[in-house]
Amino acid sequence: MNPSQLRDDMPVLDEIIYLNTGASGPSPRHVVDATESWYEFHEFESAAGPGMYEPAFELFDGARATVASHIGTDPGNVALTGSTTDGISRLPLAMDWDSDDVVVRTDVEHAAGILPWRRLRDEYGVEVRVVETDQGWIDPDDWEDAVQGATLATFSSVPWTSGVRAPVRELTERAQDAGARVVVDAVQSPGQHPIDVTEWGADAVAASGHKWLLGPWGAGFLYVDPEFAETLAPAQLGYRNTVDPYADPYEYVEGARRFEFGTVAPAPYAGLQAAIETIEDIGLGTVQSRVERLTDRLKAGLDEGRLVSPREYHTGLVSFADDDPEATVERVAERGIKVRSIPTTGVVRASIHVFNTADDVDALLDALDG
């Protein structure tokens, strides 16, 4: 599949110029078809054949394998979740905390990277340190100072506010050298650029398929380093994350699968597999080169001094300052263009993906000028 074929398979593009993939990517028709056809098989046919559980578990196994291959790890290190928020939120509940512990995060985290740690602060007295960034740039030395004595450090591989690509391995190494576990919110990475969680070295990485992978809602994934996994006792217990659910005492299964505890809707993971296969078919090299050309075009057309994202290419997220972001979003929406504002930052953010075109970028620039 090439970008033009992908574009032709996305019905929403008949209605609007879509520049908001960083919030949620609209799925192509064949990804939705894969999800719907699996639902129909499961609900209409499987009960009369192998039953409803065996096909679901086979689908889960296949989805883990597809995700694992895409992010550079083994299937046993992948748990299927509902979303990035879901994956991140399962981790603190599996660890022991007290008032001597410290969590470090940055000032540009999404709510998924803020609220779980505030809860630890409020319920256990955990200290939460916030590292200030420069429009998403994390100074490694400031980071290293902050993580001294920390229990856990967390940051985004790509901040949702500006689209900067973080030096994940360097930040991870500095935090781990200080004795901290590292959790990466990677939701803005899959589908934009290659990911190798083994090279990153983080203890856990959470992401989802509904943004740049263009998959359906409800299909997220969580990588957990196998050594870290064995130290974790998830709060939720069920027939899927115990060796024998009727044994007393119970025993968690090995690896990341200890975070999969009960019955969930399987079909979104059929869509996730189709979405990953689509991006891989197009090629992440093609994605990056096309997005670089289009984001360069957008940045060149913005007024001097307005750009918040880096001038050079990092990702498809392009944020720019605006006196009234909400009004600007509404004004360009009247021209049939979907972008978004970022709360509390005073910026408008456009997301450029491989299905977008130069005409899309020019239409946005014209709308901003008008």
Side-chain angles (χ1 to χ4, degrees):
M1 178 173 286
N2 60 46
S4 295
Q5 291 169 325
L6 175 63
R7 184 178 177 87
D8 290 342
D9 198 35
M10 300 180 71
V12 72
L13 302 182
D14 295 334
E15 306 295 329
I16 196 170
I17 295 173
Y18 195 83
L19 300 174
N20 197 26
T21 301
S24 184
S27 293
R29 189 180 300 280
H30 74 273
V31 169
V32 175
D33 287 345
T35 307
E36 291 181 339
S37 64
W38 207 93
Y39 260 126
E40 291 182 359
F41 158 73
H42 196 231
E43 300 303 325
F44 299 162
E45 302 175 29
S46 64
M52 302 185 79
Y53 285 87
E54 181 181 338
F57 294 159
E58 290 177 353
L59 175 61
F60 295 149
D61 288 343
R64 281 190 223 97
T66 299
V67 169
S69 176
H70 191 68
I71 66 174
T73 189
D74 296 323
N77 301 331
V78 173
L80 301 177
T81 65
S83 66
T84 308
T85 300
D86 181 24
I88 292 175
S89 295
R90 296 186 192 193
L91 292 168
L93 298 176
M95 301 172 67
D96 293 325
W97 300 95
D98 60 41
S99 58
D100 293 330
D101 288 313
V102 175
V103 171
V104 178
R105 66 170 179 87
T106 78
D107 63 349
V108 288
E109 298 309 308
H110 190 273
I114 298 175
L115 294 174
W117 321 117
R118 283 183 177 169
R119 183 174 186 177
L120 295 181
R121 179 199 65 189
D122 295 344
E123 295 191 7
Y124 298 98
V126 170
E127 178 186 353
V128 178
R129 299 173 186 164
V130 180
V131 176
E132 294 185 1
T133 65
D134 180 7
Q135 295 181 340
W137 293 93
I138 304 171
D139 183 287
D141 293 332
D142 290 347
W143 177 257
E144 183 171 343
D145 289 343
V147 297
Q148 298 307 308
T151 309
L152 184 145
T154 184
F155 61 92
S156 295
S157 59
V158 176
W160 69 305
T161 54
S162 63
V164 174
R165 282 184 68 171
V168 176
R169 183 174 179 85
E170 179 180 5
L171 298 177
T172 294
E173 288 180 343
R174 294 202 186 200
Q176 290 175 338
D177 287 346
R181 297 289 189 179
V182 175
V183 176
V184 177
D185 178 342
V187 72
Q188 298 289 349
S189 287
Q192 284 220 70
H193 50 253
I195 298 175
D196 187 333
V197 294
T198 302
E199 193 278 331
W200 278 1
D203 297 282
V205 178
S208 188
H210 73 275
K211 293 185 186 288
W212 300 89
L213 286 170
L214 308 178
W217 284 34
F221 48 93
L222 174 67
Y223 161 81
V224 186
D225 174 81
E227 182 275 328
F228 183 38
E230 295 307 310
T231 71
L232 300 172
Q236 301 95 334
L237 279 171
Y239 71 97
R240 290 178 60 208
N241 69 345
T242 51
V243 175
D244 179 353
Y246 301 103
D248 187 6
Y250 58 82
E251 178 185 355
Y252 289 106
V253 297
E254 291 185 355
R257 276 191 53 214
R258 66 184 53 205
F259 286 99
E260 299 178 17
F261 58 92
T263 302
V264 297
Y269 300 105
L272 175 63
Q273 282 186 277
I276 291 174
E277 290 164 0
T278 297
I279 290 295
E280 291 181 347
D281 188 27
I282 292 171
L284 286 170
T286 298
V287 172
Q288 291 184 106
S289 61
R290 184 180 178 97
V291 171
E292 180 175 5
R293 291 194 303 271
L294 294 177
T295 53
D296 283 350
R297 188 183 188 97
L298 175 56
K299 293 170 185 177
L302 292 170
D303 293 339
E304 188 69 27
R306 195 175 183 186
L307 187 64
V308 171
S309 297
R311 176 62 62 180
E312 67 275 16
Y313 169 69
H314 275 233
T315 66
L317 296 174
V318 179
S319 294
F320 48 93
D322 195 274
D323 293 336
D324 191 344
E326 292 295 340
T328 297
V329 169
E330 292 178 5
R331 177 162 52 85
V332 300
E334 292 173 356
R335 303 276 289 270
I337 304 168
K338 176 69 74 173
V339 295
R340 68 159 297 172
S341 63
I342 302 296
T344 74
T345 62
V347 304
V348 173
R349 190 192 71 189
S351 303
I352 310 294
H353 204 356
V354 69
F355 60 79
N356 291 120
T357 65
D359 287 344
D360 293 345
V361 172
D362 292 345
L364 175 59
L365 290 171
D366 287 345
L368 293 174
D369 289 340

